[in-house]
Amino acid sequence: MPRLSVIVPCFQVRSFLRECLDSLLEQSFGDFEVIAVDDCSPDDSGAILDAYAARDERVRVLHLPENGGLGPARNAGMRLARGDYLFFLDSDDTLTPGALAAIADRLAESGDPDVLVFDYARSYWWGGLRRNVLAPVLARTDGVFSAAELPEILDLMMVAWNKVQRRDFVEREGLAFPPGYYEDTPWTFPLLFGAERIALLDRICVLYRQRRQGSILSTTSRRHFDVHEQYGRVFAFLDSRPELASWRPFLHRKLGEHCLDILGRPNRLPPADRAEFFRRTAELFRAHRPDEESIPPELRVLYGSWAAYLARRRAEALRERLRKAAVPRARRTVARARLNRPLDPDLVLYSAFSHRGVLGDPAAIYHKAREIAPHLRGVWVVRDEATPVPEGVERVLPDSRAYRQLTLRASCFVNNVTWPAGLVKRPGSTHIHTHQGTPLKFMAADLLTKPGARYGLDVPRTLRQADRWDHSLVANLHSELVWERAYPCHFTSARTGSPRNDVLVTAVPDKGVAVRERLGIPAGHTVVLYAPTRRDHVRGGHVDRIDLARFAAGLGEGHTLVVRLHPSLAAGPVRGMGLTELHRRGVLVDATDELHVEDVMLASDVLVTDYSALMFDYANLDRPIVVHADDLATYTAARGLYFDVTAEPPGHVTRNQSELAALFASGSWRDEESALLRKEFRERFCAFDDGRAAERVVRTLLLGEPGFGEPG
């Protein structure tokens, strides 16, 4: 008996069906059966299924004599299922690599729960990928629970394909899919209401295809009225199960929210039927109102008329248009009134990484300024109230009134990215640009020859913003030459060194101990830091260049693999593809969320990277570096490199995972050749990093003190 029965209903999906089946049959976990249901599809989907069944004995095909819709097709497949668990995969969606193995492992780890809920990402027709916004719910607990113990589980999208369910539990509950649209509603709510043991898997297992056209739910049709009958079925289920009566207020709210969402979308209901849909929703909403429930304000419209609903929507739209029109006018008025106010010579405005926090070179300059020039008032621009800042740090939100006042008064601006285009540089103010390390890959104007890499980047606009720079900080002559070429602007290069590297240059051997303890790394372990950069030629920016689980296992006892993704990938779907799950299981440590990359570097013994600028900073520690360049030609063609890092490397170079594994197995990653290569690399790229870069910036550029010259 297989562990999983994967039921794939098919109707007019020939364009996507092969991709779906390939993603399933190429999984590393093989203990499953595929029950493909041809729902009397008029295209050649059935023939495609038969061809796959002829090649792979795990595939069984059921051809239905007439089209019944998604729900009945799933029921037909369910009747043939022999697996411990049922998995309903839509035929235009795909599985991520390793998804079934992760599901099977989590089922075993959680003791065969009734239901296992996992994550998904929306895969858009134009190539974009966006993770489920409620993914944090899936990280709430490692144990098993009921919906009453974690009701947030019911805020997730109520679909059949983001979970597996134990077959004997489904049979005992007598669950089945109804016909019609929104068939997942009367399946998923009863499933989760009745399950006593639910488990979670914080991993993206399904890529939910967002078609440009052809999606059922984006089709304009009266069939969207089916939602009323589907909720009626769920209320009938609760009526038959008195012990679940406490869920009625919740379901009542969901009914109102769901139907108003359908009504609010312009492409679902025919215009002539919208008033009728509202009236039927209101009737159902009133009929099922629990006596004890207080109605949320946004749902009270269902106790009024269709005319009142339309009036409210029009009023909301008008208020929004007026708000958008008023804000720019107000800003222009305020700006004109204050342009004549004098600059504050002691006011310094800081930002880093597009307002992500007190980080990088600007942070090092800020902290040194507080130490040696406390009269300077440093204010940080941070993206929102939730952005963490150290105690005592003054902050301001972008586009707020306080921010606009500060930009008009500040005498100095410090940033490692260009300030927004709306910031007007006043005469007499000074802009210090710190960059984000030594450049290896093409930047700014050099990207004009790399159209793929500059996707979304307006190079002329970037250079106009860079025209505001007065000083460009550099850590070596290579950086000085590159920045002057990539940014043909009006700044002066300042040979200060990189302020954020001061902590690396002056580090003592036990500096990273506290960080290791915080990350849960056992004392005495050799810490291997893997820090890959993004791939601009790939939508989303990430490609798994190595098998992290296999690499971590190959390192052996006494080693810990620490992974830090590129900051631009931290909030995207990449970690949900497996990294988060490997971290939870203790296979490796995911340090992507560590605010200060310097801390992660200090906690490690060796760096493995590809083309990340982190290697230049890490070289200041004089610890081994391995360059894993398995796609050098592709990366160079797509993004461009200022020099061949494999010809002038900071340590050994590997070209595939076997070479990487052998290098660490032999211990040669830290041999004499590695040390010699690192010495030559440091002499070239760490020339101005002497541990006093931040002080040099404060004294020479903020305070204008003479006599504090260039390093070395």
Side-chain angles (χ1 to χ4, degrees):
M1 185 167 62
R3 185 61 164 159
L4 299 171
S5 290
V6 185
I7 299 167
V8 185
C10 306
F11 182 77
Q12 288 189 325
V13 287
R14 65 180 183 181
S15 298
F16 311 110
L17 184 53
R18 290 182 177 87
E19 186 179 357
C20 172
L21 294 174
D22 289 343
S23 76
L24 179 54
L25 297 174
E26 293 171 2
Q27 291 285 309
S28 58
F29 177 84
D31 188 15
F32 64 89
E33 64 175 356
V34 179
I35 302 171
V37 183
D38 171 17
D39 192 16
C40 200
S41 183
D43 63 7
D44 56 355
S45 294
I48 294 172
L49 294 178
D50 289 338
Y52 271 81
R55 296 198 303 266
D56 195 315
E57 62 182 9
R58 293 173 296 179
V59 180
R60 287 189 289 160
V61 181
L62 174 62
H63 295 280
L64 298 181
E66 58 184 24
N67 176 251
L70 187 55
R74 286 173 175 167
N75 292 336
M78 217 180 347
R79 287 191 286 270
L80 299 181
R82 300 170 298 182
D84 297 329
Y85 282 85
L86 303 172
F87 183 177
F88 301 101
L89 179 65
D90 285 358
S91 48
D92 55 350
D93 295 339
T94 56
L95 294 181
T96 60
L100 293 188
I103 288 170
D105 288 345
R106 186 71 183 108
L107 288 173
E109 182 183 47
S110 53
D112 284 5
D114 300 327
V115 181
L116 173 68
V117 183
F118 45 79
D119 203 7
Y120 68 91
R122 295 177 186 268
S123 176
Y124 291 90
W125 60 270
W126 42 266
L129 200 67
R130 181 169 64 88
R131 190 174 187 181
N132 164 30
V133 295
L134 295 178
V137 172
L138 297 171
R140 288 291 182 87
T141 177
D142 282 341
V144 293
F145 56 91
S146 67
E149 293 169 320
L150 187 66
E152 294 94 329
I153 194 69
L154 296 166
D155 290 328
L156 298 174
M157 191 157 66
M158 290 289 102
V159 290
W161 45 257
N162 67 350
K163 55 183 69 67
V164 295
Q165 38 270 303
R166 211 174 66 245
R167 183 164 59 90
D168 61 3
F169 167 71
V170 169
E171 292 172 350
R172 186 178 72 242
E173 294 291 308
L175 299 176
F177 290 92
Y181 280 18
Y182 304 101
E183 75 292 329
D184 287 339
T185 297
W187 169 273
T188 305
F189 280 122
L191 179 81
L192 295 178
F193 287 161
E196 296 179 354
R197 302 180 70 252
I198 303 171
L200 303 175
L201 174 61
D202 184 14
R203 187 193 194 280
I204 296 172
C205 295
V206 172
L207 297 182
Y208 174 34
R209 188 185 301 274
Q210 305 292 286
R211 299 197 215 174
R212 189 170 185 267
Q213 60 182 9
S215 171
I216 291 176
L217 292 184
S218 64
T219 302
T220 303
S221 167
R222 277 189 61 88
R223 295 194 64 185
H224 291 285
F225 280 75
D226 289 353
V227 71
H228 301 128
E229 189 173 355
Q230 305 296 23
Y231 271 95
R233 289 186 168 101
V234 185
F235 279 109
F237 169 79
L238 291 183
D239 290 340
S240 70
R241 300 283 292 270
E243 71 275 14
L244 299 178
S246 61
W247 285 112
R248 291 186 67 87
F250 169 84
L251 187 64
H252 185 246
R253 290 194 299 274
K254 284 292 182 182
L255 162 66
E257 292 167 357
H258 195 171
C259 291
L260 285 179
D261 178 68
I262 294 170
L263 189 61
R265 295 178 183 267
N267 60 342
R268 293 205 178 175
L269 293 163
D273 296 324
R274 293 171 60 82
E276 180 187 351
F277 185 90
F278 176 85
R279 287 192 293 271
R280 290 180 58 176
T281 297
E283 290 171 2
L284 191 65
F285 192 69
R286 288 192 290 266
H288 289 287
R289 176 178 180 175
D291 294 336
E292 71 279 7
E293 184 186 22
S294 60
I295 306 301
E298 64 274 13
L299 299 183
R300 291 174 189 163
V301 67
L302 289 171
Y303 289 117
S305 65
W306 168 244
Y309 169 81
L310 286 180
R312 177 176 174 176
R313 295 272 296 181
R314 290 166 182 156
E316 290 172 349
L318 178 60
R319 282 195 296 269
E320 181 63 16
R321 288 196 299 270
L322 292 175
R323 185 191 66 80
K324 289 181 178 180
V327 169
R329 285 198 300 269
R331 289 178 181 174
R332 289 193 296 268
T333 301
V334 171
R336 283 194 297 269
R338 292 175 177 162
L339 276 176
N340 294 325
R341 296 179 64 182
L343 296 176
D344 183 342
D346 295 331
L347 177 58
V348 184
L349 204 61
Y350 294 89
S351 180
F353 301 104
S354 300
H355 313 322
R356 284 201 301 114
V358 184
L359 304 167
D361 291 308
I365 296 168
Y366 168 79
H367 290 302
K368 183 58 68 173
R370 292 188 69 176
E371 175 188 333
I372 63 178
H375 65 283
L376 294 179
R377 178 192 174 195
V379 181
W380 277 85
V381 183
V382 296
R383 59 174 59 171
D384 52 40
E385 293 288 356
T387 302
V389 298
E391 185 177 354
V393 172
E394 186 179 355
R395 64 181 177 179
V396 66
L397 303 186
D399 295 328
S400 65
R401 180 181 180 185
Y403 168 80
R404 293 189 291 275
Q405 291 175 333
L406 289 169
T407 59
L408 290 169
R409 298 294 312 282
S411 61
C412 190
F413 295 77
V414 181
N415 205 338
N416 64 0
V417 296
T418 55
W419 290 92
L423 189 151
V424 178
K425 183 181 180 183
R426 293 189 61 187
S429 64
T430 299
H431 283 235
I432 298 172
H433 193 75
T434 72
H435 301 284
Q436 298 177 37
T438 294
L440 174 60
K441 45 188 173 281
F442 279 13
M443 304 292 288
D446 290 327
L447 288 174
L448 291 171
T449 63
K450 302 292 181 181
R454 73 168 190 270
Y455 176 78
L457 175 67
D458 185 336
V459 173
R461 180 182 181 183
T462 297
L463 297 184
R464 288 194 298 272
Q465 291 172 291
D467 278 332
R468 295 177 300 199
W469 301 351
D470 294 288
H471 303 286
S472 166
L473 307 191
V474 297
N476 47 65
L477 291 176
H478 163 80
S479 295
E480 184 172 322
L481 294 173
V482 167
W483 294 138
E484 290 175 358
R485 163 182 159 164
Y487 291 95
C489 301
H490 308 298
F491 60 80
T492 299
S493 294
R495 298 178 179 179
T496 58
S498 294
R500 70 175 182 176
N501 287 343
D502 289 348
V503 67
L504 304 179
V505 176
T506 60
V508 293
D510 61 349
K511 181 68 174 178
V513 171
V515 183
R516 289 184 176 218
E517 292 176 351
R518 187 174 72 249
L519 295 175
I521 299 172
H525 269 216
T526 297
V527 178
V528 180
L529 171 60
Y530 176 53
T533 194
R534 65 176 290 120
R535 288 343 190 236
D536 297 280
H537 59 282
V538 176
R539 178 75 71 175
H542 180 76
V543 178
D544 286 321
R545 305 311 312 172
I546 64 175
D547 183 329
L548 294 176
R550 186 154 62 95
F551 182 40
L555 293 175
E557 293 292 329
H559 292 75
T560 295
L561 176 63
V562 175
V563 178
R564 184 179 178 86
L565 298 181
H566 190 277
S568 66
L569 304 176
V574 173
R575 294 158 77 185
M577 299 293 189
L579 181 59
T580 298
E581 179 66 5
L582 293 175
H583 174 83
R584 187 190 66 80
R585 290 166 47 198
V587 174
L588 49 77
V589 173
D590 177 9
T592 305
D593 284 336
E594 285 293 309
L595 281 178
H596 303 286
V597 67
E598 298 83 8
D599 287 345
V600 182
M601 289 191 281
L602 288 167
S604 67
D605 297 295
V606 53
L607 170 68
V608 178
T609 188
D610 36 37
Y611 322 109
S612 171
L614 203 66
M615 69 176 75
F616 300 101
D617 304 317
Y618 197 85
N620 283 287
L621 288 170
D622 198 18
R623 298 175 188 175
I625 301 172
V626 175
V627 175
H628 185 63
D630 68 324
D631 63 341
L632 179 65
T634 300
Y635 191 88
T636 303
R639 177 63 191 251
L641 296 178
Y642 286 114
F643 66 93
D644 183 354
V645 71
T646 64
E648 305 172 77
H652 289 294
V653 177
T654 58
R655 304 285 184 172
N656 54 57
Q657 182 149 359
S658 296
E659 289 184 5
L660 182 63
L663 184 71
F664 277 89
S666 67
S668 55
W669 55 274
R670 52 184 170 188
D671 60 12
E672 291 183 5
E673 182 182 357
S674 170
L676 179 60
L677 291 169
R678 187 167 67 253
K679 180 177 181 295
E680 295 172 349
F681 193 84
R682 282 165 50 84
E683 289 174 352
R684 179 180 179 187
F685 295 109
C686 303
F688 302 155
D689 284 333
D690 61 355
R692 302 185 68 189
E695 182 181 1
R696 188 171 291 109
V697 172
V698 173
R699 293 194 182 281
T700 61
L701 303 184
L702 295 187
L703 300 178
E705 294 182 2
F708 201 94
E710 296 179 4

